[in-house]
Amino acid sequence: MPDTRIPAAAPPRTPRRDASLLRERAAASLRAAAPALLAYASVRLLGLVILGTAAAAAGKSPHTLLNARWDSLWYARIATEGYGYEIRLPDGDVHSDLAFFPLLPALERGISEITPLSVPDAGLLVSWLASLVAAWGIYAIGARLHGPRGGVLLAALWGAYPTAFVQSMAYTETLFTALAAWAVYAVLTGRWVWAGGLAVLAGLTRPSAAAVVAAIWIPAAVTLVREYRAGARAGELLRGHARMLLGVVLAPLGWLAYVLYVAVRNGGLFAYFEVQGEWGNGFDGGRALAGFVWQNLTSNVLAGLGLCAALALVFWLLWLCCVRQRQPLPLVVYTAAVVFVSLVGAGYFGSRPRLMMPAFPLLLPAAVALLRTRPERTVAILAAAAVASAAYGAITLLGSGPP
């Protein structure tokens, strides 16, 4: 006789049950990402060991090199005293702390108030934890596109990025990359509200959050246009994509909130951009970059050619991501936007590699190539990259110029 029993109804959805399911999924995701986190942490630990050895030989403290230099000092001051500090240079320019976004100093202050850590050490803790969250998100994207091994390789390669030493400093790059990676992953998996919320936090971290906003807006616009052309009515689109549209609305709010805060504080709608201009970080369409390249070519041909080769490599990798490998649109938009924002500013050229570090999808072609390589050769290549990155980081941190 057929089974006439009525199937048991699924447990009703409640906020507590939803939270429990979310924790279970996060735990499962973390277990899957464990090899990637171990590989990433190993690469970064090697970098810290080499830095510690080099710093000891030079009679310097690696701890101070990581949490009390350059931008980290500005963030620590904001966390301790709030906004309002500025330096007037001999040429009359003013460097104001309003150029720095508030999320990192807010976290530094909060952690220092509830733990025995000082503000600078709280900044290190934020950066180190964020670097693991970033590696987790990078793994999740790599695994979604190229399987778990591809995700592990992508996370390890990001840890061996040339300026990866910044990932271990009290800077915003790791915090921003963590938020950006998971925002892009949320778009890839259709979690639009999560994407928008993470974009809000990214917008309170760095001005380059425009890349995260673009990675949400452009795929959303493409989706709406495609369905409209397929015959969907406007009302149907609004009802069917309510969560996507909410994510679109949320995405720029963090960045806008801080820009408006500076505008109100300084009494001008474009005050934030004026502050950035005083720092020499205004948008110039790439003229400063072109001038720097030309200066190197005319003063030191080898250095100029090396610089041109590095830029060519970046554009080649971008072409591989966008054209050859046909990466998903959110990933392509995010990567292209980070590269664009990093290259078209008028600021200090030495910071461009650091500003480009959140563009982790540029490493996807290398990760895919390593997937086709024998395991022992892959380990050797990653080890060489990690050592080279660590050596470069030690040399930079022991030098006088900022990254």
Side-chain angles (χ1 to χ4, degrees):
M1 294 180 62
D3 188 352
T4 58
R5 290 175 297 179
I6 299 175
R13 291 190 62 178
T14 64
R16 180 176 295 179
R17 177 170 173 75
D18 287 347
S20 176
L21 288 173
L22 183 61
R23 286 194 298 270
E24 291 174 4
R25 291 172 182 170
S29 174
L30 183 57
R31 286 193 295 272
L37 297 181
L38 180 60
Y40 171 80
S42 299
V43 172
R44 295 305 320 127
L45 181 60
L46 175 64
L48 292 175
V49 169
I50 290 179
L51 171 63
T53 304
K60 295 184 178 181
S61 165
H63 180 253
T64 301
L65 294 175
L66 292 173
N67 77 343
R69 297 190 78 190
W70 304 308
D71 290 4
S72 59
L73 294 173
W74 287 86
Y75 287 115
R77 182 183 289 273
I78 294 168
T80 304
E81 302 177 8
Y83 285 104
Y85 179 75
E86 60 185 31
I87 296 176
R88 185 170 296 277
L89 303 181
D91 62 3
D93 286 344
V94 175
H95 285 184
S96 167
D97 59 7
L98 290 170
F100 298 90
F101 277 55
L103 185 58
L104 176 59
L107 292 173
E108 289 177 335
R109 184 184 183 94
I111 291 172
S112 68
E113 289 183 349
I114 63 175
T115 69
L117 293 175
S118 65
V119 165
D121 286 342
L124 275 185
L125 178 63
V126 171
S127 187
W128 290 0
L129 292 178
S131 70
L132 293 174
V133 176
W136 183 7
I138 290 169
Y139 162 81
I141 291 174
R144 180 177 179 82
L145 298 178
H146 301 289
R149 187 163 173 255
V152 172
L153 290 171
L154 185 61
L157 286 169
W158 189 66
Y161 185 87
T163 57
F165 64 91
V166 177
Q167 297 169 18
S168 301
M169 297 179 68
Y171 268 49
T172 57
E173 273 71 19
T174 49
L175 180 60
F176 174 76
T177 305
L179 295 167
W182 282 108
V184 172
Y185 180 79
V187 176
L188 291 173
T189 55
R191 296 174 172 89
W192 292 94
V193 178
W194 276 99
L198 289 166
V200 171
L201 295 176
L204 293 170
T205 306
R206 291 191 60 81
S208 49
V212 184
V213 176
I216 296 173
W217 279 11
I218 293 178
V222 169
T223 299
L224 293 175
V225 170
R226 183 189 300 123
E227 294 190 13
Y228 180 76
R229 288 181 174 176
R233 296 180 180 179
E236 295 173 345
L237 290 175
L238 293 176
R239 289 190 297 272
H241 294 291
R243 295 182 67 81
M244 182 181 76
L245 294 173
L246 178 56
V248 166
V249 172
L250 286 173
L253 295 185
W255 185 86
L256 286 174
Y258 184 66
V259 169
L260 289 176
Y261 165 78
V262 178
V264 172
R265 184 184 179 101
N266 283 15
L269 184 59
F270 300 104
Y272 170 75
F273 304 100
E274 293 168 359
V275 168
Q276 287 285 5
E278 291 281 359
W279 276 84
N281 293 331
F283 174 84
D284 71 352
R287 289 195 302 273
L289 174 62
F292 186 80
V293 171
W294 178 250
Q295 178 185 357
N296 276 269
L297 284 172
T298 54
S299 61
N300 187 330
V301 176
L302 290 179
L305 291 176
L307 179 59
C308 290
L311 291 171
L313 175 62
V314 169
F315 289 117
W316 180 61
L317 291 173
L318 192 59
W319 178 79
L320 286 178
C321 290
C322 296
V323 181
R324 290 289 298 275
Q325 293 188 349
R326 297 182 180 179
Q327 303 295 351
L329 181 61
L331 213 58
V332 170
V333 171
Y334 168 75
T335 308
V338 171
V339 171
F340 177 78
V341 170
S342 302
L343 294 181
V344 299
Y348 169 61
F349 184 84
S351 65
R352 307 302 172 96
R354 170 174 64 86
L355 298 178
M356 217 176 295
M357 188 171 62
F360 61 88
L362 288 175
L363 301 170
L364 274 168
V368 171
L370 289 176
L371 278 174
R372 307 189 187 102
T373 305
R374 293 196 306 272
E376 60 273 15
R377 181 171 295 181
T378 297
V379 171
I381 292 172
L382 286 175
V387 170
S389 173
Y392 177 74
I395 293 170
T396 302
L397 284 172
L398 289 170
S400 59

